[in-house]
Amino acid sequence: MEFRVDRQTFADAVAWAARTLPARPALPVLAGMLIEVTGEGELTLAGFDYEVSAHARDEAAVAEPGRALVPGRLLSDIVRNLPAEPVDVFTKGSEVVVRCGPAEFGLQTMPVEDYPTLPDPPARAGTIPGDLFAAAVAQVTPAAGRDDTLPMLTGVRIDIEGDTMWLACTDRYRIAARELTWVPDDPEFTAGVVVPARTLADTAKAIKRGADVAIDLGGTADTLIGISGGGRRMTSRLLDDQYINYRSRLTGTWTSVAEIRVAPFVEAIKRAALVTERGTPIRLAFTADEVRIRAATGDSARANESLGAHLTGDDIDIAFAPQYLLDGLAGIDTESARLEFAGPTKAALLTAVPDKKDDEDAPAESDTGYHYLAMPVRLTS
C-alpha cells in the first residue's frame, strides 16, 4: 500500500473514522483504524466497535493499492499535528509509515484479517439538507437523558410520515422536539426509531456543511440506521423503539402566554445563575409588561433583575432549573421567544416567535417547528 494525500483531507477523514474507536475496546483489534486504497485513487478509512461504524471516503494519489490496520487513536493524534504539507503513507515490513515534510512516523500494523466486516447500511429512505439536519439535532439533543440504565431516554426519537420528520428527546423532566420537511424516496414511507443521541449529535455536527444528508432506514426488522453525506457515512444500532407519545404533550390549554426577546433573557438568566447552587432554581414572575428574574442561595447571595416582556392572560410566578431554561433558549433561532403556561406547577412550553419579514405585507412564518416543554420546580414560598 502506498499513496499521497492532502494533509487537511487526510486529517478530516481520520478524525471522522476515529470517532467510533472505543477507549477500552472489548477486543484489541477494535482499537484499529482500517486504511484502504484502490487503483482508482479512492481512499477509505473506517472504524467500528460493533455498535457504531464510521466510514470516510476521499481521493488520493495511489501508487500501490492495498489495505492495512493501524492503532486508530495514535494515527489520529499524529495526523492532527502534522505540518501543512502533502502526506505520504506506505507499508514497510510490519509498519505503516506516515511521512509529511521532515516528520516521519512508523506505526506497527495490526492483523487486518481479524478485523470485523463493517455493516452494510439499510436501503436509502430519503435526503435532507445537511445544515437543516445538523441544526435540528443540535436543538433536541440537550434534552436527552444521560442515564444508561434507561436506554430509551438516551436516544433521539425519529418519526417519519411522508415528507415530514420529527426529532425528539426527553429525560422525563423536559421534551425537546423539532418538526421539519425532508425528501423521502417513497412518498408513503413511515418509520419510528430511536437512535443514540450522542452518536447522532456527533455525526450531524461533523458532516460537511452544505452537503445533503442521506438517511438509510429499512423495515421494522432492521436494527440499523445509516447516515451519510459529503463522503462520510455512519451506521448505528438502534435502541428499543418504545417511546412516550411526546407530540400529545406539546399541546394544551394555556392560561398565560408571554413573549420576550431571547438575547437579553439569556444574559439575565446567566447572571442570576451566578448566585445559585446545584439544584437551586431561577424564579420568573411575569406581569403584563415585564418579567422579574430572581435567584438566591440562602442568605449568602441573591440576584434580582427585570426585563421587558409582553404577557397575555394571568400573571404567573414560576421557577425552573437555570440550565433547563438555557438549553431550551439555545434552540431558538429567532429574536423573540414565546412561553406558554398552564400554572406554576405544570409544564411550560417554549417556542420561537417568527421574525417579521422586511416586507411588512409579507406574512411571517407561522411556526419554526421547534418545541421545548419543561417541568417547573415547585416553589416553597
Side-chain angles (χ1 to χ4, degrees), residues 34-106:
L34 185 65
I35 306 172
E36 186 169 4
V37 287
T38 67
E40 290 74 37
E42 185 174 271
L43 163 68
T44 60
L45 297 104
F48 184 38
D49 68 353
Y50 285 118
E51 295 292 328
V52 182
S53 74
H55 184 279
R57 184 182 71 253
D58 278 296
E59 294 181 352
V62 179
E64 183 179 349
R67 63 203 304 253
L69 188 68
V70 298
R73 289 182 179 271
L74 180 56
L75 178 64
S76 180
D77 289 342
I78 289 170
V79 174
R80 189 169 57 246
N81 289 283
L82 290 175
E85 298 187 35
V87 182
D88 292 301
V89 181
F90 56 92
T91 51
K92 184 178 181 181
S94 61
E95 282 188 341
V96 166
V97 177
V98 179
R99 182 182 294 158
C100 182
E104 181 176 301
F105 296 87

Side-chain angles (χ1 to χ4, degrees), residues 152-153 157 159 169-170 172 174-175 241-249:
M152 177 196 77
L153 301 182
R157 173 74 179 192
D159 286 303
C169 289
T170 183
R172 293 184 298 183
R174 53 184 171 167
I175 299 170
D241 63 0
Q242 297 298 313
Y243 211 74
I244 65 169
N245 184 0
Y246 61 90
R247 274 183 271 173
S248 68
R249 304 186 188 200

Side-chain angles (χ1 to χ4, degrees), residues 16-20 45-49 52-56 118 233-235:
W16 173 269
R19 67 185 53 254
T20 63
L45 297 104
F48 184 38
D49 68 353
V52 182
S53 74
H55 184 279
L118 270 68
R233 188 181 75 213
M234 175 277 290
T235 65

Side-chain angles (χ1 to χ4, degrees), residues 98-134:
V98 179
R99 182 182 294 158
C100 182
E104 181 176 301
F105 296 87
L107 287 78
Q108 197 70 22
T109 59
M110 305 169 73
V112 69
E113 63 275 7
D114 293 344
Y115 198 69
T117 302
L118 270 68
D120 292 324
R124 195 176 83 164
T127 59
I128 185 171
D131 293 345
L132 174 62
F133 185 66

Side-chain angles (χ1 to χ4, degrees), residues 329-354:
L329 289 164
I332 302 290
D333 55 6
T334 57
E335 183 179 351
S336 298
R338 180 181 294 114
L339 281 159
E340 299 175 90
F341 308 98
T345 61
K346 295 183 178 179
L349 182 65
L350 172 68
T351 56
V353 176

